[in-house]
Amino acid sequence: MKNRVLRYIIRFLVGEDIPGEWVETIGYTADPDKFDQYNVVIIPSGFFDEQVYGKQASLPKLPLEKIEGIPFLFGTPEVERVKATWVIHADIIASTYFLISRYEEMLRRELRDEHGRFPGKESILYKAGAFHRPIVDEYRIFLRRWLRQSNIPLPEIEPRARKIYLTHDVDAPTLYRSWKGFIRSIKARGLYKSLKGKFGPLEEDPYYTFPWLFQQNGTLRDVVGKERYHSILFFRSGGKSGFDKPHYNLKNKDIRRLMENAGEQDMTIGLHASYQAGADPSLIIKEKRRLEQITKGEIRFNRNHFLASREPEDMDILEAAGITDDFTMGYADIAGFRLGTCYPVRWINPVTRCLSSLTLHPLIIMDNSLSESKYMGLNHDQALAYCLNLAEAVNKVGGELTLLWHNDTIPKGSGGYLRKLYVQLLKELAKK
């Protein structure tokens, strides 16, 4: 492994708040003659050896072993004291790299769903029963404890979410106000209601739930404070595939009004890279420029439509396009910790083993993942309990909690539970 990547992983594991001289007290070596140079040594498992890396033999074996109740992917659970040095045989360096780089998605390219996505239920963490735990962040807690036991005065991690991201993808901003929606409405509702839907107040359109969302978000912001709160609205600016429908014009007065309202709420506008761009990432730069022409500002945030970040190296194209922060990193079929962490983490390309400047913000909970029968298919009570457990896991390790709620999944009176669930989740988050 390249030294720059190794240094980054150690720094990421121990925490960005730790002075560099303390980070240097952690070693990654199997040479006993070097143990006394460090306070804590992690023994390499051989994962990064040239004859192993990139081969099927490099995949972890199930069931995963545990150290202090925390699953790890490589090495053994042995911990020993060699003179003044703690020696850890669980290779949490390789385990962390495997998860944050999406290594298994690179190695198992034959596993993709109908949208070209790696299925979350095929992931090692899901099969190990650990997808609901940010195990990389749990490594951070006991690594810091080992350092404290070596007389390094590290502070405890504050047990609350350091940041809450409330995000919304603008897939279908309205139901009846487009001409296609108007024509469909005539067949279903008659001419009078259709005319009212097309030309009446925007807020009466069933899908235009943004004022309600903004109100709920603002209530949480007022409680937790602006430093811990960030809301993002992701807009599509291209895409010609069938999965990019309904198409909407960024110059449309309804869309412009929505952007203005988002600005009044101090929301960030990001790019919702189209389904077509997910299949052909070279289109992302064009879509980004088109959105920037409308917003008159630089677009730095992105989330792919359908969460279709298909291949790991596609991230390099995001970086080249000028995206600094990506919010795609969740699986559609299950809510949880796709990267094994709820901390923002820099992208490592598992093919080139290079560290990039692109920051990935793990997506923890998406509304559709919970409710759709083809995904988790949870009822309200199950979804609430599951989400609260995920939120509590984030609190325990002091990470970020990112939610994705779509405006078109929460029409008033729709009969679904996602509107009610969103209110309940935000009320619980306000208590932490």
Side-chain angles (χ1 to χ4, degrees):
M1 177 171 52
K2 297 179 180 180
N3 286 335
R4 186 169 177 237
V5 174
L6 174 60
R7 287 195 299 271
Y8 174 75
I9 290 178
I10 293 176
R11 158 61 75 185
F12 177 75
L13 273 177
V14 75
E16 298 291 339
D17 59 326
I18 302 304
E21 60 268 24
W22 293 352
V23 178
E24 295 299 323
T25 66
I26 302 170
Y28 189 55
T29 178
D31 185 350
D33 293 334
K34 296 181 179 179
F35 287 179
D36 60 0
Q37 300 176 22
Y38 304 102
N39 291 65
V40 174
V41 165
I42 299 164
I43 302 294
S45 59
F47 169 80
F48 294 107
D49 294 349
E50 290 300 323
Q51 65 272 25
V52 175
Y53 189 92
K55 309 294 193 304
Q56 289 296 315
S58 65
L59 292 172
K61 305 296 188 295
L62 292 172
L64 298 180
E65 293 196 75
K66 297 181 179 180
I67 183 168
E68 301 187 15
I70 305 173
F72 61 94
L73 281 59
F74 306 102
T76 67
E78 182 183 0
V79 178
E80 58 180 327
R81 187 86 164 178
V82 179
K83 297 182 181 179
T85 304
W86 286 103
V87 179
I88 316 302
H89 292 257
D91 190 350
I92 60 175
I93 300 291
S95 299
T96 297
Y97 176 96
F98 182 98
L99 293 171
I100 66 176
S101 70
R102 299 163 64 202
Y103 176 87
E104 71 177 325
E105 300 180 32
M106 178 269 290
L107 194 59
R108 306 175 70 194
R109 294 186 192 271
E110 77 284 357
L111 283 176
R112 297 293 187 267
D113 67 8
E114 68 272 23
H115 301 294
R117 307 171 300 193
F118 187 90
K121 292 176 183 177
E122 290 291 340
S123 69
I124 188 70
L125 286 184
Y126 180 81
K127 291 184 176 181
F131 195 74
H132 62 292
R133 296 174 60 176
I135 64 172
V136 169
D137 306 326
E138 294 179 31
Y139 300 156
R140 175 180 293 109
I141 291 175
F142 68 65
L143 179 57
R144 289 167 73 117
R145 193 187 71 235
W146 285 325
L147 289 172
R148 279 196 298 272
Q149 292 174 349
S150 302
N151 297 317
I152 294 179
L154 294 180
E156 297 280 357
I157 293 174
E158 184 179 6
R160 71 169 186 171
R162 58 187 286 193
K163 198 89 170 182
I164 299 172
Y165 284 97
L166 303 181
T167 71
H168 312 289
D169 295 350
V170 184
D171 296 337
T174 61
L175 179 60
Y176 297 132
R177 293 177 70 84
S178 69
W179 285 112
K180 287 185 178 180
F182 172 69
I183 293 171
R184 288 194 300 268
S185 177
I186 293 175
K187 297 178 181 178
R189 306 193 307 157
L191 182 60
Y192 176 75
K193 288 186 177 180
S194 300
L195 287 169
K196 187 177 179 181
K198 172 65 177 171
F199 299 105
L202 175 60
E203 287 75 12
E204 291 186 8
D205 187 276
Y207 281 6
Y208 199 82
T209 57
F210 297 103
W212 181 86
L213 280 170
F214 295 172
Q215 180 182 24
Q216 304 306 314
N217 295 358
T219 300
L220 179 65
R221 178 193 60 218
D222 294 343
V223 174
V224 304
K226 291 184 177 180
E227 290 186 358
R228 293 182 57 223
Y229 165 92
H230 195 156
S231 189
I232 310 170
L233 211 56
F234 292 97
F235 286 88
R236 283 207 319 270
S237 62
K240 298 180 180 179
S241 80
F243 292 107
D244 287 315
K245 294 180 179 179
H247 304 296
Y248 55 85
N249 188 339
L250 291 174
K251 296 181 180 180
N252 175 276
K253 65 177 182 178
D254 293 342
I255 300 298
R256 297 303 294 268
R257 179 176 168 185
L258 175 57
M259 289 184 175
E260 290 172 2
N261 291 343
E264 293 168 359
Q265 296 290 324
D266 293 323
M267 298 180 71
T268 299
I269 290 180
L271 174 66
H272 196 32
S274 68
Y275 188 94
Q276 184 184 11
D280 181 4
S282 66
L283 298 173
I284 288 175
I285 190 168
K286 295 180 181 179
E287 295 185 2
K288 176 176 177 287
R289 287 173 178 169
R290 190 176 298 125
L291 183 57
E292 288 173 334
Q293 289 173 355
I294 297 296
T295 62
K296 308 299 182 185
E298 184 181 13
I299 298 297
R300 299 183 296 107
F301 292 2
N302 174 74
R303 174 181 287 135
N304 282 29
H305 192 33
F306 275 65
L307 301 184
S309 180
R310 291 170 171 82
E311 301 302 331
E313 53 267 58
D314 291 350
M315 291 296 181
D316 288 335
I317 299 177
L318 281 180
E319 183 183 21
I323 296 296
T324 61
D325 296 74
D326 183 78
F327 289 79
T328 309
M329 285 298 105
Y331 290 123
D333 59 335
I334 184 168
F337 301 94
R338 180 176 182 175
L339 303 182
T341 179
C342 54
Y343 276 72
V345 60
R346 286 171 63 186
W347 163 236
I348 299 172
N349 187 324
V351 178
T352 63
R353 297 184 242 187
C354 289
L355 180 67
S356 81
S357 62
L358 178 67
T359 297
L360 309 181
H361 296 264
L363 171 61
I364 311 303
I365 303 172
M366 179 175 74
D367 50 5
N368 290 325
S369 301
L370 305 168
S371 62
E372 291 196 14
S373 58
K374 64 180 179 180
Y375 295 148
M376 298 180 73
L378 304 179
N379 63 34
H380 169 267
D381 292 346
Q382 292 169 331
L384 178 60
Y386 190 84
C387 290
L388 292 180
N389 285 337
L390 292 178
E392 184 57 28
V394 172
N395 284 331
K396 285 182 179 179
V397 299
E400 293 182 350
L401 178 62
T402 300
L403 307 183
L404 165 55
W405 241 253
H406 295 82
N407 60 287
D408 55 325
T409 64
I410 53 171
K412 191 174 181 180
S414 64
Y417 65 74
L418 292 174
R419 187 181 180 99
K420 176 183 177 181
L421 179 63
Y422 193 65
V423 174
Q424 291 172 309
L425 284 179
L426 267 53
K427 285 183 177 179
E428 290 299 320
L429 295 177
K431 298 176 181 178
K432 304 297 183 182

